[in-house]
Amino acid sequence: MSSTPVAGIPVMVPWLGEEEAEAAAEAVRSGWVAQGPRVAAFERAFAEHLGVPHAVAVSSCTTALHLAMIGAGVGPGDEVVVPSLSFVATANAVTYVGAVPVFADVDPATGNLTPDTVAAVLTDRTRAVIAVDQGGVPVDLDTIRALVEPRGATVVEDAACGAGSVYRGRPAGAAAQIAAYSFHPRKLLTTGEGGMVTCHDADLAARLRRLREHGMSVSAADRHGAAGGAAVVETYDEIGFNHRMTDIQAAVGLVQLGKLPAMVARRRELAERYRGLLGPLAERLVTDPAHGTGNYQACWLLLPDTAPDRTEVLARLAAAGVSARRGIMAAHLEAPYKGTARVPLPATELITHRSLILPLFHTLTEEQQDRVVAALREAVG
C-alpha cells in the first residue's frame, strides 16, 4: 500500500512496506498470533515514546475509550461532556457505560473543546470530560483540567488522531491521566485496527489489562510463561470484555512507531506546501494552536461562503480524479443523538457543513498536490 492508485489521488494512503510485512510474517511463523509478547513489547515502546508509565494495547480506540470511561468511574446517571464535532465513537463510548453524552461546542479555528465551551454545559452530574485532539490538533488539556478537576470530574484525552502531535513540549496525550489512541489506517501510525490506553496509575493499568481480557486475573500469555510449567488457574473477578490486540498487529505497530517522526515531518511539510499554494483559501486551512503542533492527521479547511455547496465541490473534485472527504462529523446531527444538544453549537455546525479534508499522506508527490490545488480552485470557482 505504499504506492498511489493510478486512477486518481486518494485522500490518504497508509505508509506500509516490506518491513511491516516481514514483521507480521515473523509473528505468524512464531505460532503466537494472539495477544502475547509482541503486544507487551509494543506497549512498552509506546509508553516510552510518550514518556508515560503505562500503556495498554486494545482492539480499537473505541474500546480504549470504553475502558477509559470505566477507569474514570463513569456509570449510569452520570454525564460526560464531549464535543459533538468528533467521530461518533467518542459519544458512543459514554453510552456504553450507561452515562449521557452532553455535547459542547468547539473553537472554530482548532475544532477542539475550550474551557468556555465546556463550562457552558457542566452540571452537578458531570463525571468526566472527553477532550479530543481533533484531526491531530492538540487540545489545550491543562486549561480544561483546571476547570473540571476541582469539581471531581476526570478529563480523558481522546488522542485518536494525536499520535505524533505535541502539546506544551510533550507528546499529545502524555499529560492526561487517561488517554486513548487509534491505530486505524486513517491515522498516521496504523496496525490495521487497534488502539491504546495510557495512564499514570499502576492499579488502573492493571485493571484495564484484566478488563480487556474478559476480566481474567492472569493473562493467557502469563499463564503460558509460568515458571517451570507450573499450573496457573485464573479467576474472573468482574465482568470484562474481549478488547485485545493481536501479536500480528503489534508487530506492525512496532515498525510503524519507529517511522512516526518521519511521518509527522513529511505531513507538516506537505501541509505548509498546501498553505503556500492555496492563496486566499489558505486562511481557512487548519493550523497549529499556540500551545502545540499538530501532526496533520486531517488537513481540513473551511470552504468560503461564496463556494458552491460542499457536496457539489466534492463531486467536482471526484470528477477531476481527486478524492477529498467531507469535514468532521457532528454527532448531535446523527440519528442516535439528534435533538439531544442542550446548547447551540454554532462552530460545530459551521465546521461540519462547510469543511472538507484534502488528500494528505506520506507518499503524496508535489505533482499530485499541484493537481489537488488546481482542482480545488476550479471546484470552488
Side-chain angles (χ1 to χ4, degrees):
M1 299 185 72
S2 60
S3 61
T4 303
V6 175
I9 302 171
V11 71
M12 83 83 58
V13 179
W15 187 27
L16 296 166
E18 287 303 313
E19 194 175 355
E20 286 89 349
E22 178 55 31
E26 185 178 342
V28 171
R29 287 192 293 265
S30 76
W32 195 292
V33 296
Q35 179 181 283
R38 287 171 179 81
V39 167
F42 185 34
E43 291 173 334
R44 290 192 297 271
F46 196 78
E48 182 178 354
H49 164 76
L50 292 180
V52 299
H54 307 288
V56 180
V58 290
S59 56
S60 69
C61 188
T62 305
T63 56
L65 287 169
H66 180 203
L67 292 184
M69 290 293 93
I70 296 172
V74 177
D78 293 331
E79 294 180 351
V80 178
V81 176
V82 301
S84 172
L85 192 77
S86 184
F87 186 58
V88 72
T90 304
N92 286 350
V94 177
T95 69
Y96 294 163
V97 296
V100 176
V102 178
F103 296 116
D105 209 8
V106 295
D107 178 347
T110 65
N112 287 339
L113 295 179
T114 70
D116 288 343
T117 65
V118 171
V121 293
L122 290 176
T123 74
D124 58 6
R125 295 172 60 194
T126 303
R127 186 65 181 268
V129 175
I130 301 181
V132 178
D133 299 319
Q134 192 50 257
V137 177
V139 67
D140 194 355
L141 186 76
D142 291 350
T143 59
I144 296 174
R145 290 184 64 180
L147 171 68
V148 305
E149 287 182 351
R151 303 169 63 102
T154 300
V155 180
V156 171
E157 186 167 351
D158 181 344
C161 302
S165 299
V166 176
Y167 174 64
R168 300 192 186 278
R170 300 177 66 188
Q177 291 303 301
I178 310 175
Y181 296 82
S182 172
F183 304 136
H184 183 273
R186 286 287 300 272
K187 310 306 187 286
L188 275 71
L189 191 167
T190 184
T191 58
E193 290 282 0
M196 193 79 75
V197 190
T198 60
C199 64
H200 293 257
D201 182 88
D203 290 338
L204 174 59
R207 186 184 179 207
L208 297 181
R209 292 183 198 284
R210 293 192 299 271
L211 286 172
R212 72 173 172 186
E213 195 167 8
H214 304 284
M216 199 181 298
S217 61
V218 182
S219 73
D222 288 343
R223 293 200 314 275
H224 180 79
V232 177
V233 179
E234 77 281 4
T235 60
Y236 300 83
D237 301 321
E238 63 179 316
I239 295 173
F241 313 93
N242 185 357
H243 287 352
R244 293 169 293 195
M245 177 181 281
T246 71
D247 257 29
I248 300 171
Q249 293 169 297
V252 172
L254 281 163
V255 176
Q256 287 271 290
L257 184 60
K259 294 163 70 170
L260 183 59
M263 294 183 199
V264 175
R266 177 59 176 160
R267 293 175 82 98
R268 289 184 58 81
E269 175 186 308
L270 289 167
E272 284 309 302
R273 190 167 188 274
Y274 266 135
R275 204 175 305 281
L277 294 172
L278 284 169
L281 285 173
E283 296 177 8
R284 293 168 169 262
L285 189 72
V286 67
T287 191
D288 291 334
H291 52 260
T293 57
N295 61 10
Y296 284 94
Q297 183 273 332
C299 189
W300 61 271
L301 57 75
L302 281 178
L303 293 171
D305 297 339
T306 55
D309 177 79
R310 184 183 57 192
T311 301
E312 176 62 24
V313 173
L314 289 171
R316 292 178 184 181
L317 289 172
V322 174
S323 178
R325 291 289 184 273
R326 71 168 188 167
I328 303 144
M329 68 176 293
H332 80 282
L333 300 179
E334 300 297 326
Y337 301 108
K338 202 170 185 67
T340 63
R342 299 180 183 179
V343 297
L345 305 172
T348 296
E349 294 186 4
L350 172 67
I351 294 171
T352 201
H353 289 313
R354 299 295 295 175
S355 64
L356 60 79
I357 296 172
L358 298 177
L360 186 64
F361 47 92
H362 191 82
T363 53
L364 184 71
T365 67
E366 291 188 359
E367 184 273 333
Q368 289 173 324
Q369 201 172 26
D370 292 343
R371 284 173 54 196
V372 171
V373 172
L376 180 62
R377 285 177 178 157
E378 182 70 21
V380 169

